[in-house]
């Protein structure tokens, strides 16, 4: 143990002497990443920010009236289903469900042609997940395509509890996750939402979801009123829905309990400042950060391969240097160097590029990438025996490890593919920059309390963990190949 410590100390002194003999090169290695950041800061000062006051949207032009405009009426919904040979499913199969369909069919006869009743919700889900789903599209098909489902959990006489479950493809761009339109964990659950997002409103209106809800609620109001009337006269059961009334006698109460004008509008939005710089440079920020690290990476590859090329390593081993001390010394040397660079970057950007983020998160982000870059450089160097070739090819390889970012930097790409791409640490580093851009634009900033929350389909905590994992992986593979 004592021998290893003395050898490591001697190797670190050797590396220190190499560094101070070339002060300008050493200064360039430390400061070049910062210079790139200073250039971004200069661009940042030239881009304006726009302040948007708090807005209420209860005004003309922001309303969507159910059954008009982009929101189809129920007759149009049924005609579309009939034309596409698709069905609305109802569950469970109870007398109340059948009575409801019969009553609504008095005003909308097409409902009888495009409705299918299932025994319960489990039977409906089992069918949808089976291989028989949608295997035919002709009339009276036993295995139709289900466009939507109405599932009752409680059916009167005074309490009605139901769910509307629409096919995800019914909306023009798929229905949003409920957390994007509902505050389920206190005010402003989604801190990154700036201004109004009309997409959820359009999706629920355009798809017919709100139209179907209006029809069902109208029936529930009608049923509740009839129940109250029957209770007052001593007749508790709602039996007149199907048997005792004619079409003409039921049209009046149905119209009476179907409000003609139901409008929806977005909730008010708070005041916010739109940082256009972050949104403009977001897609290229990762590569700009990466460019600052190319020079120190090329120098590290040069040092390690040059000592192998000149047989210096073999000479040190012949003099008793223990295996691994050589690589450990260079790792510690450049870890200290990247720690200094990360500290300078954090200080220089704390009032501009990363104004709202936790400064320790910024430091750890750049420092952890520095550690993974050291081990990736070590892995690359094991393939070469000539320094000039290693620097040329190795630097390009390091830069090339970034380009999968452009393939996976899309919200539609699954997190699994992003994790696989993040086995290349430059890609993980670039993906992390997306979170910084999103959170800085929203004037929230990345903090230890929110690094697990994804934005733009990217999770910063996953990126950070992958860079740490890459460091260990490159070290293990590099040590194996070095043998």
């Amino acid at each position: 143990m004592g021998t290893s410590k003395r050898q490591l100390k001697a190797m670190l002194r050797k590396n220190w002497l190499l560094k101070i003999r070339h002060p300008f090169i050493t200064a360039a290695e430390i400061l070049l990443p910062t210079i790139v950041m200073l250039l971004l800061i200069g661009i940042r000062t030239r881009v304006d920010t726009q302040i948007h006051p708090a807005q209420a949207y209860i005004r003309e032009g922001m309303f969507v009236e159910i059954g008009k405009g982009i929101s189809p009426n129920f007759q149009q919904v049924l005609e579309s289903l009939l034309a596409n040979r698709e069905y609305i499913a109802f569950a469970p199969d109870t007398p109340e469900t059948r009575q409801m369909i019969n009553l609504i069919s008095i005003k909308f006869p097409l409902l009888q042609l495009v409705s299918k009743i299932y025994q319960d919700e489990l039977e409906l889900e089992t069918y949808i997940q089976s291989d028989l789903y949608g295997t035919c599209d002709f009339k009276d098909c036993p295995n139709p395509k289900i466009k939507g489902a109405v599932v009752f959990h409680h059916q009167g006489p005074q309490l009605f509890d139901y769910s509307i479950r629409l096919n995800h493809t019914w909306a023009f761009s798929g229905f949003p996750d409920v957390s994007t339109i509902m505050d389920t964990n206190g005010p402003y659950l989604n801190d990154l939402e700036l201004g109004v997002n009309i997409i959820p409103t359009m999706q629920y209106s355009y798809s017919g979801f709100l139209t179907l809800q209006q029809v069902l609620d109208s029936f529930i109001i009608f049923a509740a009123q009839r129940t109250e009337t029957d209770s007052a006269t001593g007749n508790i059961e709602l039996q007149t829905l199907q048997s005792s009334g004619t079409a003409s006698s039921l049209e009046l109460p149905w119209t009476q309990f179907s409000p003609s004008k139901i409008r929806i509008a977005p909730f008010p939005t708070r005041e916010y400042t739109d940082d256009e710089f972050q949104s403009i440079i977001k897609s290229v920020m990762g590569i700009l950060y990466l460019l600052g690290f190319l020079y120190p990476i090329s120098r590290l590859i040069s040092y390690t391969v040059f000592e192998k090329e000149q047989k210096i390593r073999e000479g040190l081993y012949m003099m008793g240097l223990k295996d691994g001390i050589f690589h450990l010394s260079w790792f510690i040397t450049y870890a200290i160097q990247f720690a200094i660079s990360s500290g300078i970057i954090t200080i220089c950007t704390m009032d501009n590029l990363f104004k709202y983020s936790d400064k320790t998160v910024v430091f750890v982000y750049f420092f952890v990438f520095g550690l993974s870059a050291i081990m990736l450089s070590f892995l690359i160097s094991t393939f070469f025996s000539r320094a000039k070739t290693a620097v040329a090819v190795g630097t390009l390889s390091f830069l090339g490890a970034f380009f999968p970012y452009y393939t996976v930097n899309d919200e539609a790409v699954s997190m699994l593919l992003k994790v696989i791409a993040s086995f290349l640490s430059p890609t993980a580093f670039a993906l992390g920059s997306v979170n910084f851009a999103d959170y800085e634009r929203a004037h929230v900033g990345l903090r230890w309390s929110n690094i697990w929350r994804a934005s733009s389909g990217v999770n910063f905590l996953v990126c950070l963990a992958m860079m740490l994992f890459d460091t260990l992986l490159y070290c293990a593979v590099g040590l194996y190949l070095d043998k």
Side-chain angles (χ1 to χ4, degrees):
M1 185 66 181
T3 303
S4 299
K5 188 176 181 180
R6 288 195 301 271
Q7 289 182 351
L8 179 59
K9 185 177 179 179
M11 291 299 296
L12 290 174
R13 177 173 173 77
K14 184 263 296 182
N15 295 346
W16 166 252
L17 292 175
L18 287 174
K19 289 293 184 180
I20 62 174
R21 285 175 184 174
H22 303 89
F24 294 107
I25 293 177
T26 302
E29 291 182 35
I30 295 174
L31 297 177
L32 269 179
T34 307
I35 292 174
V36 173
M37 297 298 162
L38 292 176
L39 292 175
L40 288 175
I41 292 171
I43 299 173
R44 170 71 181 83
T45 59
R46 305 294 297 178
V47 179
D48 295 331
T49 58
Q50 185 176 2
I51 299 176
H52 298 265
Q55 289 284 341
Y57 298 100
I58 310 300
R59 61 177 186 266
E60 193 68 27
M62 293 301 294
F63 292 114
V64 172
E65 188 167 338
I66 298 177
K68 294 184 179 180
I70 67 169
S71 177
N73 58 48
F74 195 55
Q75 182 66 24
Q76 292 172 327
V77 170
L78 297 177
E79 290 173 356
S80 174
L81 292 172
L82 187 63
N84 296 319
R85 297 181 179 179
E86 295 169 326
Y87 284 68
I88 294 181
F90 291 89
D93 187 357
T94 62
E96 291 80 6
T97 301
R98 294 185 178 275
Q99 288 176 359
M100 179 195 68
I101 294 174
N102 291 335
L103 175 64
I104 298 176
S105 297
I106 294 173
K107 187 173 182 180
F108 302 103
L110 288 181
L111 181 61
Q112 293 284 358
L113 302 178
V114 295
S115 62
K116 189 172 179 63
I117 302 176
Y118 289 85
Q119 188 66 35
D120 51 31
E121 187 175 12
L122 178 61
E123 181 186 21
L124 171 62
E125 290 185 347
T126 302
Y127 163 64
I128 292 176
Q129 296 173 6
S130 69
D131 295 334
L132 296 175
Y133 176 77
T135 52
C136 57
D137 59 359
F138 50 84
K139 188 177 180 181
D140 299 326
C141 169
N143 304 312
K145 291 182 179 179
I146 303 298
K147 203 67 173 178
V150 177
V151 179
F152 282 93
H153 310 292
H154 198 285
Q155 292 177 286
Q158 296 296 326
L159 175 62
F160 287 84
D161 182 12
Y162 70 93
S163 301
I164 298 177
R165 302 176 59 181
L166 293 194
N167 194 309
H168 184 71
T169 60
W170 201 345
F172 61 89
S173 62
F175 285 94
D177 185 274
V178 68
S179 64
T180 66
I181 58 171
M182 295 180 64
D183 190 345
T184 58
N185 191 28
Y188 307 124
L189 172 65
N190 187 357
D191 291 325
L192 305 183
E193 190 69 55
L194 302 179
V196 65
N197 181 5
I198 65 172
I199 297 298
T201 302
M202 294 177 65
Q203 287 170 322
Y204 279 87
S205 302
Y206 181 81
S207 66
F209 180 98
L210 296 174
T211 301
L212 181 57
Q213 183 181 19
Q214 179 192 18
V215 171
L216 292 172
D217 287 347
S218 298
F219 163 77
I220 289 173
I221 296 172
F222 171 77
Q225 292 291 334
R226 293 299 297 265
T227 302
E228 289 180 2
T229 302
D230 291 342
S231 298
T233 60
N235 182 14
I236 304 301
E237 295 184 2
L238 184 61
Q239 58 187 2
T240 59
L241 291 182
Q242 186 177 13
S243 57
S244 62
T246 63
S248 59
S249 66
L250 288 174
E251 283 177 0
L252 179 59
W254 177 263
T255 305
Q256 178 182 352
F257 298 115
S258 297
S260 59
K261 290 185 178 181
I262 299 179
R263 296 172 175 177
I264 60 173
F267 272 105
T269 55
R270 53 181 173 171
E271 179 182 305
Y272 68 95
T273 301
D274 189 3
D275 189 348
E276 296 181 356
F277 168 79
Q278 298 290 351
S279 59
I280 292 171
I281 207 167
K282 173 181 173 180
S283 60
V284 296
M285 190 172 287
I287 187 66
L288 294 177
Y289 291 168
L290 195 65
L291 289 175
F293 287 90
L294 285 182
Y295 184 68
I297 292 303
S298 67
R299 294 300 304 168
L300 175 57
I301 295 175
S302 175
Y303 280 129
T304 54
V305 179
F306 178 78
E307 293 190 345
K308 180 166 60 173
E309 179 184 358
Q310 298 297 318
K311 308 300 181 182
I312 296 174
R313 282 175 53 183
E314 282 74 5
L316 292 171
Y317 289 151
M318 290 173 64
M319 289 186 291
L321 182 67
K322 290 189 176 181
D323 195 22
I325 297 296
F326 174 83
H327 299 300
L328 180 60
S329 67
W330 278 117
F331 177 80
I332 294 175
T333 300
Y334 270 84
I336 295 173
Q337 183 174 301
F338 279 123
I340 296 172
S341 296
S342 301
I344 295 174
I345 289 172
T346 303
I347 294 171
C348 291
T349 59
M350 62 189 303
D351 292 325
N352 33 73
L353 288 182
F354 304 115
K355 182 177 180 179
Y356 303 97
S357 296
D358 190 314
K359 305 310 177 267
T360 57
V361 174
V362 177
F363 175 83
V364 169
Y365 169 64
F366 284 100
F367 180 62
V368 170
F369 172 67
L371 297 182
S372 66
I374 293 171
M375 300 316 302
L376 181 56
S377 302
F378 166 53
L379 175 60
I380 292 173
S381 68
T382 60
F383 294 97
F384 301 95
S385 57
R386 295 181 62 83
K388 290 184 178 179
T389 305
V391 171
V393 179
T395 305
L396 289 175
S397 300
F398 185 85
L399 186 61
F402 159 81
F403 287 102
Y405 161 80
Y406 288 115
T407 302
V408 298
N409 184 30
D410 190 317
E411 292 191 51
V413 176
S414 68
M415 182 59 70
L416 177 61
L417 290 178
K418 288 183 172 70
V419 170
I420 293 174
S422 294
F423 278 99
L424 299 173
S425 63
T427 297
F429 178 71
L431 287 172
S433 70
V434 172
N435 292 110
F436 270 115
D438 287 339
Y439 278 86
E440 286 293 323
R441 179 171 180 256
H443 287 203
V444 176
L446 272 177
R447 304 179 181 277
W448 294 112
S449 59
N450 63 13
I451 61 173
W452 55 271
R453 288 185 177 178
S455 68
S456 299
V458 179
N459 189 308
F460 183 81
L461 181 60
V462 172
C463 296
L464 201 62
M466 285 304 300
M467 285 193 287
L468 286 170
F469 177 77
D470 290 340
T471 302
L472 300 176
L473 178 65
Y474 298 154
C475 178
V477 177
L479 288 174
Y480 174 78
L481 295 176
D482 192 56
K483 296 297 182 179

